[in-house]
Amino acid sequence: MKKSFVLLTFVAALFAACATKNESKLTVSGLDPAAFDSTINGKKTALYVLKNDNGMEVCITNYGGRVVSLVVPDKDGKPTDVVLGFDNIAQYADTLNSPSDYGSSVGRYANRIKDGRFTLNDSVYQLKQNDGTNCLHGGGTTGWMNQVYDAEQIGDSILKLTIVAEDGENGFPGKVTATTTYRVMADNTLDITWEATTDKETIINQTNHNYYNLSGDFTQAAYDQVLYVNADNFTPSDKAYIPTGEIVSVEGTPMDFRKPHAVGDSIHSTYAQIQQAGGYDHNYCLNTFQNGKGDDTQVCASLYSPKSGIFMEMFTNEPGVQVYSANFQGVGKDANIIRKHGVKYPKHVSICLESQKYPDSPNKKDWAQPILKPGEKYFSHAAYKFSVK
């Protein structure tokens, strides 16, 4: 009896020690880095953890340059993950059964290009058509968000990701070398810079595609999230989500977020643009962009959760921001996909705020152009600052 008791005690202690050891390997957001160790298209993938001394942790995989989790303290000091995603590399890479752009660094061209076609220097380029007849996010499954970047972590708070895209990739001209650099700042800002060079004139328009729900509760729609967008105008779209070419005032419409209000106040409006998209999926013309230059020291948008008290301010040098309210989440077969923390996402579960040149800009010559020439350097900047109130 005594020997059995000693043996059972030893086994229990061993299991407890193993459990503690395994738990200690997890990130603050509850991710297991081992679940991201893989090889895709001959290149190694991993999970990189960035952090500061003020409770912010950002976990990123070099597969698609994706932010997998973003933890900041809520109003009670509780670490809260505020971005959607998966908890393993297998689901991110399964573009057939669980396609997503969660957290990705999108390239070469964020958003849509009509009919996947544009003209540059009298040459017509036909791109991959992966969204009906349009090219979306650089080609989707074969775009940069589903490629493996080379990664270099610099200390605890900086990750530099590099990708080389060959001339003709998905129809785009020029061999492009591009970097995405993530920085976790001391003031709980996620700072993102994109840079690129090319050997042939081309177009480029990168963004980050985090899906934010600042309550940290991904089982509920983000209707209570309070949105502000510093924009007097937006670009209405047709049924294929391509801008018509008009620039229209938000005045007197449910597109107006110049005074912050809950997304749920207007997302079910009968306004034609909202009905057509099933919510918000629109480019806003930022007031912080004037005379061809963006002021990334001024707030261009913000989001706030009354539930958690988490407040996020956005800054960018780009002319536009795409506001997307996760209209396709929780719809059809998507409703059955299990995501991070074992959760199935409902429709309108989050808000995306994507810095960008306007959609289809290469075919709208009066708009800010995404052209990059040899000898020049593309530079784009977006920052997301977190606090509580």
Side-chain angles (χ1 to χ4, degrees):
M1 178 74 73
K2 190 173 182 180
K3 287 182 179 180
S4 298
F5 175 77
V6 171
L7 180 60
L8 287 172
T9 303
F10 171 75
V11 171
L14 182 62
F15 274 113
C18 289
T20 301
K21 185 177 180 181
N22 288 335
E23 287 172 5
S24 68
K25 291 180 180 179
L26 300 182
T27 66
V28 173
S29 60
L31 297 172
D32 181 359
F36 291 84
D37 290 339
S38 187
T39 300
I40 299 175
N41 296 328
K43 301 190 71 173
K44 295 288 187 181
T45 63
L47 188 72
Y48 299 86
V49 181
L50 306 182
K51 57 187 177 181
N52 63 16
D53 294 328
N54 293 310
M56 186 176 192
E57 177 198 77
V58 181
C59 296
I60 302 164
T61 176
N62 59 324
Y63 178 73
R66 294 168 181 262
V67 175
V68 179
S69 65
L70 194 163
V71 170
V72 288
D74 71 2
K75 60 186 177 183
D76 299 316
K78 177 186 175 183
T80 303
D81 187 2
V82 298
V83 297
L84 276 56
F86 296 111
D87 57 13
N88 62 85
I89 197 66
Q91 281 187 286
Y92 280 111
D94 187 357
T95 56
L96 180 62
N97 296 303
S98 54
S100 79
D101 44 21
Y102 293 149
S104 59
S105 183
V106 179
R108 293 186 188 190
Y109 197 92
N111 219 307
R112 293 171 174 85
I113 296 177
K114 184 178 181 180
D115 295 328
R117 188 181 300 118
F118 71 97
T119 301
L120 185 62
N121 293 330
D122 298 324
S123 294
V124 177
Y125 293 94
Q126 181 61 60
L127 309 176
K128 179 182 176 182
Q129 296 167 301
N130 63 304
D131 179 58
T133 62
N134 302 320
C135 180
L136 172 61
H137 292 332
T141 57
T142 52
W144 293 359
M145 66 183 183
N146 289 301
Q147 303 298 320
V148 180
Y149 286 67
D150 294 325
E152 177 188 6
Q153 184 160 350
I154 305 167
D156 288 338
S157 60
I158 302 174
L159 180 67
K160 183 177 182 180
L161 302 171
T162 303
I163 191 168
V164 177
E166 297 298 329
D167 181 25
E169 175 202 65
N170 285 344
F172 289 93
K175 181 177 181 179
V176 169
T177 300
T179 62
T180 301
T181 303
Y182 289 104
R183 293 177 175 86
V184 168
M185 314 297 282
D187 64 354
N188 283 2
T189 295
L190 175 61
D191 186 275
I192 312 171
T193 54
W194 295 271
E195 296 178 281
T197 56
T198 183
D199 67 353
K200 181 179 179 181
E201 192 164 345
T202 190
I203 59 172
I204 189 165
N205 179 34
Q206 290 191 257
T207 194
N208 169 262
H209 215 310
N210 280 350
Y211 287 64
Y212 291 101
N213 185 319
L214 301 187
S215 75
D217 182 0
F218 304 156
T219 67
Q220 302 295 320
Y223 295 145
D224 67 338
Q225 314 269 304
V226 178
L227 177 64
Y228 162 75
V229 184
N230 186 2
D232 294 332
N233 302 292
F234 78 106
T235 54
S237 300
D238 62 20
K239 292 182 179 179
Y241 301 95
I242 296 295
T244 62
E246 303 168 276
I247 292 179
V248 175
S249 173
V250 300
E251 182 74 33
T253 77
M255 310 302 292
D256 193 349
F257 285 95
R258 291 174 297 179
K259 291 184 179 179
H261 66 84
V263 173
D265 292 346
S266 53
I267 198 169
H268 298 296
S269 167
T270 57
Y271 186 67
Q273 283 290 304
I274 292 178
Q275 286 285 301
Q276 182 173 277
Y280 290 96
D281 193 1
H282 297 87
N283 171 70
Y284 281 79
C285 308
L286 295 172
N287 294 336
T288 52
F289 191 89
Q290 299 289 334
N291 301 316
K293 186 176 181 181
D295 185 352
D296 56 6
T297 67
Q298 293 190 45
V299 175
C300 68
S302 69
L303 195 64
Y304 169 65
S305 167
K307 181 177 179 180
S308 69
I310 296 173
F311 181 53
M312 181 182 78
E313 296 170 289
M314 180 184 179
F315 307 81
T316 186
N317 66 331
E318 293 292 352
V321 63
Q322 187 83 6
V323 175
Y324 174 55
S325 54
N327 308 325
F328 296 107
Q329 298 293 283
V331 177
K333 71 174 185 177
D334 185 272
N336 296 315
I337 299 175
I338 297 175
R339 272 83 172 197
K340 194 169 50 175
H341 310 311
V343 172
K344 295 179 181 179
Y345 296 155
K347 187 175 182 179
H348 298 151
V349 64
S350 61
I351 303 296
C352 300
L353 297 172
E354 309 157 57
S355 57
Q356 63 180 3
K357 302 290 190 298
Y358 301 170
D360 199 37
S361 284
N363 295 312
K364 308 287 194 299
K365 300 305 181 183
D366 292 337
W367 293 355
Q369 289 298 295
I371 295 171
L372 178 67
K373 300 178 180 180
E376 298 178 343
K377 179 174 280 191
Y378 168 82
F379 177 82
S380 182
H381 176 234
Y384 302 83
K385 182 180 181 180
F386 295 86
S387 59
V388 294
K389 67 176 185 177

